[in-house]
Amino acid sequence: MRTSTPNTPLISGRWRRYGSVAAATGALLFAGLGTAAHAGAATASPSHKVSSKAIAAAVAKAHVTYESACGATPKKGYAACNALRVTAGTTAFQEEQAAKKGARPASVSPKASSATPTGYGPSDLRSAYGLTSAAANNGSGQTVAIVDAYDDPNAEADLATYRSYYGLPACTTANGCFKKVSQTGSTTSLPTADSGWAGEISLDLDMVSAIAPNAHIVLVEAKSSSMANLGTAVNEAVKLGAKFVSNSYGGSESSSDTSYDSSYFNHPGVAITVSAGDEGYGAEYPAASKYVTAVGGTKLSKSSTTRGWTETVWKTSSTEGTGSGCSAYDAKPSWQTDTGCTKRMIADVSAVADPATGVSVYDSYGSDGTGWNTYGGTSASAPIIASVYALAGTPGSSDYPAQYPYADTSALNDVTSGNNGSCSTSYFCTAGSGYDGPTGLGTPQGLNAFTG
């Protein structure tokens, strides 16, 4: 378990330390086959031809346990990150690699470095969302900002490791691609380091790199996880020129939310994405802000379809899965036209978030999970969507880019199966044709749904 900063304020009752996917008892089915040095590699066997149907069948066996990167959930007025780190089991990526080699899959080792990735990498994500060409050709001149709490001392070094492994162009302070600042814009007076939020930061930076490798990245670190400090960091990101700002955190809704809206999230001409939450059905803030793109989460799996991938709502249990719901406080934006919720509805769009079908991340700060890890949670989907916006181009100066997907729903993969809990109004928690709470309008299918 990552160590959180001492005296971090806590919220009651919303955090779960561990999750499991498929049968928890099967999480270590192949325990002992993977070692700390080879946790991401299948048992040696020459590559052989295997059908897409066979690969899909193998991927369906993925089963993992995971933990919250940021520890306990925060109290009113504070937020927790939505990053979930896989600690044991076999991921979809490992199952796929093993199937291709005709081998048994290795398992994730909870607290040891993996020599190679154990989750989906850039080529997987681009393939799934129709972004292969756009990632190679778009994004130059754009800046994606990542807003998180506390400092990750190894952020730039870990980013370099990820990008080097996957053959992505270097993004460093020296070449002007990367910048790390505090919520006041200082490059030297940074917040206290925190190993839990460092995992979140690595996840965010790596997802921007995977989707928009030609874009510049600004990491803005708030001095605490209070909404006031995180919101100040959002304002700083916009002040620094970012037109795309990703926020992978959330907390309980409150009557203060509309005040936070006007103070921190009302930035026309800027695409602000926010993760919908990881605790199943229920609304979180700032995903509920009418000024942001709320991003839900899916289970992303290889399939034998023409697309080559399939998605369902991410749900591990009744308290573990993508967030969704009807806000209690925020007004409904004009472009959101579902009729069951008179206020702001979460989510707008979605992307991969299930830890079992999670993404590869490199993180070296902290005593656990050092090296290559697999992460899930809607902390993965929020920076993915922010980066898709960056590939699509600069938003109109007076636009709220959350409205863009509603204008071209045909350019999205409609997710029609799965749920994230129980609710009295079906589409609040259950996927179906067209709009639904857990996945919004769907997942990216190229860029058309993210342009003005």
Side-chain angles (χ1 to χ4, degrees):
M1 182 63 202
R2 294 185 178 279
T3 304
S4 294
T5 300
N7 301 318
T8 300
L10 306 180
I11 293 181
S12 62
R14 285 180 57 81
W15 176 69
R16 298 292 185 272
R17 184 173 190 274
Y18 293 105
S20 62
V21 176
T25 55
L28 296 177
L29 182 62
F30 298 107
L33 294 176
T35 66
H38 299 89
T43 312
S45 179
S47 296
H48 69 295
K49 291 184 178 180
V50 59
S51 70
S52 58
K53 186 175 182 179
I55 291 174
V59 167
K61 299 176 183 177
H63 47 267
V64 302
T65 59
Y66 53 83
E67 66 183 11
S68 171
C70 295
T73 17
K75 69 179 182 181
K76 182 179 178 181
Y78 286 75
C81 78
N82 288 313
L84 302 173
R85 188 179 72 86
V86 173
T87 57
T90 306
T91 67
F93 177 80
Q94 289 175 304
E95 291 282 2
E96 177 191 349
Q97 296 305 301
K100 289 179 177 178
K101 297 178 180 180
R104 291 182 300 174
S107 60
V108 172
S109 181
K111 292 190 177 182
S113 297
S114 297
T116 55
T118 55
Y120 289 144
S123 63
D124 299 303
L125 297 173
R126 296 171 192 173
S127 169
Y129 296 126
L131 301 171
T132 301
S133 176
N137 299 303
N138 297 18
S140 296
Q142 305 291 12
T143 296
V144 180
I146 296 297
V147 172
D148 282 311
Y150 304 108
D151 179 42
D152 176 4
N154 297 355
E156 184 170 359
D158 290 348
L159 176 64
T161 298
Y162 180 91
R163 294 177 74 106
S164 175
Y165 182 90
Y166 286 111
L168 307 178
C171 188
T172 66
T173 301
N175 70 11
C177 174
F178 178 73
K179 186 174 186 178
K180 181 172 78 169
V181 300
S182 72
Q183 69 186 57
T184 64
S186 174
T187 59
T188 55
S189 181
L190 298 171
T192 303
D194 181 274
S195 62
W197 280 86
E200 171 66 65
I201 289 169
S202 291
L203 168 59
D204 293 341
L205 296 178
D206 291 354
M207 290 307 94
V208 176
S209 299
I211 302 300
N214 297 320
H216 288 189
I217 304 175
V218 173
L219 170 61
V220 186
E221 298 179 332
K223 66 181 180 180
S224 81
S225 62
S226 73
M227 280 309 310
N229 286 321
L230 288 163
T232 298
V234 171
N235 287 343
E236 182 63 27
V238 176
K239 180 181 176 182
L240 291 171
K243 296 299 183 183
F244 316 94
V245 183
S246 177
N247 305 269
S248 293
Y249 54 82
S252 300
E253 287 192 289
S254 78
S255 57
S256 300
D257 292 350
T258 54
S259 174
Y260 295 146
D261 279 350
S262 57
S263 297
Y264 307 124
F265 296 102
N266 186 5
H267 293 287
V270 180
I272 301 176
T273 63
V274 179
S275 56
D278 294 346
E279 289 149 352
Y281 175 64
E284 277 195 0
Y285 189 86
S289 171
K290 63 182 179 180
Y291 298 122
V292 310
T293 301
V295 186
T298 67
K299 178 183 182 69
L300 173 69
S301 303
K302 285 278 191 178
S303 77
S304 56
T305 62
T306 301
R307 179 188 171 195
W309 300 85
T310 186
E311 289 175 279
T312 60
V313 175
W314 165 44
K315 176 188 176 184
T316 301
S317 71
S318 61
T319 57
E320 296 167 336
T322 183
S324 72
C326 181
S327 173
Y329 300 99
D330 253 80
K332 199 173 197 68
S334 60
W335 56 85
Q336 198 172 54
T337 59
D338 62 292
T339 58
C341 171
T342 59
K343 293 190 179 294
R344 170 67 158 126
M345 187 69 194
I346 302 168
D348 296 307
V349 292
S350 51
V352 60
D354 188 340
T357 65
V359 298
S360 176
V361 173
Y362 190 84
D363 173 36
S364 68
Y365 185 70
S367 59
D368 63 339
T370 302
W372 288 103
N373 293 270
T374 294
Y375 272 83
T378 51
S379 277
S381 54
I384 288 174
I385 296 300
S387 302
V388 175
Y389 274 113
L391 294 179
T394 305
S397 60
S398 61
D399 291 353
Y400 290 98
Q403 68 186 301
Y404 292 169
Y406 291 85
D408 193 356
T409 58
S410 65
L412 294 161
N413 300 302
D414 190 9
V415 181
T416 59
S417 63
N419 68 80
N420 64 345
S422 300
C423 55
S424 57
T425 304
S426 179
Y427 79 89
F428 285 14
C429 66
T430 304
S433 180
Y435 180 85
D436 57 73
T439 65
L441 297 166
T443 64
Q445 186 179 31
L447 303 180
N448 288 349
F450 298 89
T451 58

